[in-house]
Amino acid sequence: MHTPIILFVTATPLVDHFWTTLLEEQQYHIQILSTLSATSDWLRQQSADLIVIRAGNGIPSNLEALNHLCRAIAIPAILLAETLDEARILAYYEAGIDDCILNPTAAKLFVAKIQVWLRRTWTLPTEVLSTTEVGNIELDPIRREAVVNGNRIKLTNLEFRLLYLLLAHPFEILETHAIIQKVWGYENRHDPTILKHLVYRLRQKIEPNPAQPRYIVFIPDEGYRFQPVELPLAT
C-alpha cells in the first residue's frame, strides 16, 4: 500500500515541528526541505504526492521562484501562511499555488484539508485515459502534457484536470460551479476566484496571446467555453 509522501518546505523546522508531527501521526512520510530550490532538486530525483510550503522567513518571498516550481510540478502545492491581505493571496494563486491554509487554524481542519488534497491528487489513473486531440491541441495523459502546435507544455495536476474537462466538451459552455466540482471536487466561497486564477495560469501556457484568449473563452454570468477554432460570426 502506497504511503503518501508530503514535502514540507520550511526555513524554520523547529517552529513547524507541530505541523510535521501532526502529519506523521497520520502515517504520512514527511520530507522536510528548507528552500524552494532544494524542493525542485528533490523532485528531479524522486516523486511526491503533495507539497506544503510554510510562508514566512523568506519562503516564499520570491514569487518568481514559486512560479518556477509550480510550473514544473504536477502535484498540488499548498501554502500554509499567516493571515494575509487578499492581494497577496491572489498573487500566490497566480504564481501557481493550489490552495492557501491560513494560520492560525485548528489541527483537525489542517489535517482534513491535507487529506482532501491527497485524495484529489489524481482519482483516475492516467493510464486509463486516452490521448485527446481537439483542433491543434493534444493532451497527453501519460506525460501530463499539452501539445499545442507541436510544442510540448508541462501541466500541473489542476491545469491538466481543467484542460481535460474543456477538451471533452468543445464549444460547450461549462458553468463555473460544474467546473469547480469536476476539477476540485468541492465548493466554497473562494472557488470562483481560484478557478479564475487557474484559467489565468492555463492561458499563459497554451494561448498565443493570453490577453486575448482564443481557446478558453469566458462567457459572463455563465462559465467557460473551449473553442479549438474561432467561431464564425453570426449573420
Side-chain angles (χ1 to χ4, degrees):
M1 184 175 183
H2 174 66
T3 299
I5 300 173
I6 300 176
L7 305 185
F8 199 104
V9 187
T10 173
T12 55
L14 292 179
V15 175
D16 292 317
H17 179 70
F18 171 78
W19 301 111
T20 54
T21 300
L22 199 62
L23 295 174
E24 287 173 341
E25 289 174 352
Q26 305 302 312
Q27 307 303 309
Y28 302 142
H29 176 77
I30 308 302
Q31 177 69 40
I32 299 175
L33 299 162
S34 60
T35 65
L36 297 176
S37 177
T39 305
S40 296
D41 292 341
W42 197 93
L43 287 169
R44 290 190 188 98
Q45 305 297 324
Q46 302 178 66
S47 61
D49 299 283
L50 181 70
I51 300 175
V52 178
I53 303 171
R54 184 68 160 96
N57 298 302
I59 299 178
S61 61
N62 188 331
L63 290 174
E64 184 178 348
L66 183 62
N67 177 259
H68 178 77
L69 172 65
C70 291
R71 287 174 66 90
I73 62 177
I75 60 176
I78 312 303
L79 189 74
L80 177 61
E82 305 301 325
T83 302
L84 303 166
D85 62 77
E86 183 178 357
R88 192 65 176 174
I89 293 175
L90 294 181
Y92 286 133
Y93 282 131
E94 288 187 4
I97 286 295
D98 295 303
D99 200 0
C100 284
I101 301 177
L102 299 183
N103 191 40
T105 186
K108 288 185 178 180
L109 180 59
F110 174 75
V111 171
K113 274 267 193 177
I114 297 301
Q115 290 173 338
V116 167
W117 275 105
L118 285 173
R119 288 197 298 270
R120 198 180 299 135
T121 295
W122 186 253
T123 56
L124 183 64
T126 55
E127 289 79 4
V128 307
L129 302 177
S130 58
T131 298
T132 301
E133 185 173 0
V134 179
N136 61 345
I137 296 182
E138 179 183 320
L139 195 59
D140 184 340
I142 301 301
R143 297 181 179 179
R144 202 164 292 175
E145 293 177 338
V147 184
V148 183
N149 294 322
N151 298 315
R152 287 193 168 271
I153 303 167
K154 189 70 176 178
L155 301 176
T156 69
N157 179 278
L158 289 179
E159 291 165 354
F160 179 90
R161 285 174 181 264
L162 176 58
L163 187 54
Y164 187 86
L165 177 64
L166 293 172
L167 287 177
H169 302 85
F171 299 114
E172 180 180 340
I173 298 175
L174 300 180
E175 295 181 353
T176 298
H177 75 273
I179 296 175
I180 291 165
Q181 192 63 45
K182 290 288 187 180
V183 175
W184 277 273
Y186 75 103
E187 293 190 55
N188 64 42
R189 62 188 180 90
H190 296 297
D191 285 341
T193 299
I194 294 175
L195 175 57
K196 176 182 176 181
H197 287 283
L198 179 60
V199 170
Y200 169 85
R201 284 157 42 191
L202 187 55
R203 282 173 171 166
Q204 295 299 311
K205 292 186 175 183
I206 71 169
E207 294 280 2
N209 181 1
Q212 297 180 330
R214 170 189 175 185
Y215 300 122
I216 305 176
V217 180
F218 176 64
I219 311 299
D221 301 320
E222 295 189 61
Y224 291 88
R225 178 181 65 209
F226 176 79
Q227 49 186 57
V229 296
E230 294 192 20
L231 293 173
L233 295 176
T235 58

